[in-house]
Amino acid sequence: MSAVHLAAPLVPDSGWDDLVAELPYGLVLHDEDGSVVVANASAAELLDLPPHQLRAGTNPPDWRLCDDSGSPVPSMPELARQIGRAGSSTTVPFVVTRADKPYRRLWADIHPVTHRGRGMTLMVIRPVESEPARCLLDPTTGLPHRALLFDRIEQSLVRARVHGTRTTLVLADLCGLGKINRELGFDQGDELLALLADRLRSGLRADQTVARYTGGTFAVVTDHSSGTGEHLATRIREVASGVARVGDRELHPDLRTGWSTSGGDGTVLRLVSQAETRLLEY
């Protein structure tokens, strides 16, 4: 089974087949609308989809992508669109189910890319068992990265469903990180991120998960009995504020926040999407 070409002008040349057709992990390239441009044989095999259905973005009636609890996650085209809008890479764990029964657990590393001036999304798919030692901590801050964050969100949602509590996710983005990196250098930017990570870990409750979401964006997950995420968002901004000495400079970090809250009836990616929307509106 060879690699698929749906839009020949968008791919470099026919050598793509030779390069990726037999790779042990799946590759799927989506355009800005979430449609599949090209995919290799391993992607169809790992997803347990006929190649023509993977190309067309259609699924068998009994086929779904779910999280560990069995709740459906957004479709692959919607995942691609979300990552394209966010402009940053992510790792998503999901389960392929058939007739509501787990079939295969997968990692999907999703990256925004540009090809010939067009924004696209590259999805790299691997079976979970192929990477049992995948690192779960961000090396810059020592915080959990997105794969572990998503697992913590799912655990909180399970508790919310069982105990009648609520789950809140807050995304907190460091304003002006790009300017800091340009003017002071990436080492100084990383030093500031590490300092803010320490402030958040020490300033928030021990049972609240603090993670690095992406780039200059942190994430905090918490269980609570009632209310929304507004109070936690305010607390995060307070904890992070104050003069930060980086090298020989004094900086005044400012975080913008977006939050989402669920009673347990939502999914991980729905919670993330809602928090991202609020963050963009901040």
Side-chain angles (χ1 to χ4, degrees):
M1 188 161 45
S2 64
V4 175
H5 287 246
L6 289 188
L10 294 178
V11 292
D13 53 50
S14 59
W16 197 88
D17 282 326
D18 297 330
L19 290 171
V20 304
E22 297 183 7
L23 289 176
Y25 45 82
L27 294 177
V28 184
L29 183 68
H30 294 85
D31 66 16
E32 59 268 35
D33 296 320
S35 300
V36 173
V37 178
V38 286
N40 69 349
S42 293
E45 181 179 353
L46 287 169
L47 291 164
D48 194 36
L49 284 174
H52 71 277
Q53 289 190 315
L54 176 58
R55 296 197 300 268
T58 59
N59 307 322
D62 66 342
W63 185 96
R64 290 193 309 165
L65 291 181
C66 298
D67 57 28
D68 282 339
S69 72
S71 300
V73 301
S75 64
M76 289 175 60
E78 177 56 30
L79 281 171
R81 288 192 293 267
Q82 286 183 10
I83 299 307
R85 289 194 298 267
S88 56
S89 301
T90 188
T91 297
V92 179
F94 57 75
V95 181
V96 175
T97 65
R98 280 306 192 98
D100 294 324
K101 295 182 179 180
Y103 173 77
R104 179 172 289 144
R105 292 169 53 86
L106 300 171
W107 293 110
D109 296 313
I110 312 174
H111 308 277
V113 296
T114 301
H115 179 62
R116 298 185 182 179
R118 295 184 61 179
M120 297 187 177
T121 307
L122 178 64
M123 187 176 293
V124 183
I125 303 169
R126 298 179 177 88
V128 167
E129 57 268 21
S130 71
E131 299 183 68
R134 176 182 280 233
C135 179
L136 296 178
L137 298 181
D138 169 58
T140 299
T141 62
L143 297 175
H145 71 31
R146 290 179 68 141
L148 184 53
L149 168 67
F150 281 24
D151 180 69
R152 298 288 176 82
I153 297 172
E154 178 55 41
Q155 290 179 30
S156 180
L157 287 170
V158 170
R159 289 192 294 271
R161 287 192 288 270
V162 172
H163 301 297
T165 54
R166 299 179 70 78
T167 295
T168 281
L169 166 69
V170 177
L171 299 181
D173 183 64
L174 174 61
C175 301
L177 177 60
K179 182 179 179 181
I180 293 170
N181 287 335
R182 288 192 302 272
E183 294 183 354
L184 304 182
F186 283 90
D187 288 345
Q188 303 298 310
D190 287 349
E191 184 178 340
L192 178 58
L193 290 172
L195 184 152
L196 291 176
D198 288 341
R199 286 184 178 180
L200 292 173
R201 273 185 298 217
S202 61
L204 299 177
R205 295 198 325 248
D207 62 342
Q208 293 172 332
T209 295
V210 181
R212 187 179 184 187
Y213 183 64
T214 186
T217 305
F218 298 94
V220 180
V221 182
T222 189
D223 300 358
H224 53 107
S225 59
S226 61
T228 69
E230 189 169 358
H231 176 74
L232 178 59
T234 300
R235 175 61 181 161
I236 288 169
R237 293 193 299 271
E238 291 173 348
V239 167
S241 64
V243 175
R245 179 169 292 280
V246 176
D248 59 355
R249 297 282 294 274
E250 287 189 351
L251 303 177
H252 299 268
D254 180 31
L255 297 184
R256 62 189 183 101
T257 54
W259 56 267
S260 58
T261 298
S262 171
D265 54 341
T267 66
V268 172
L269 289 171
R270 191 178 306 156
L271 208 67
V272 169
S273 179
Q274 291 169 350
E276 285 180 343
T277 298
R278 273 205 172 93
L279 185 65
L280 292 174
E281 294 173 348
Y282 183 87

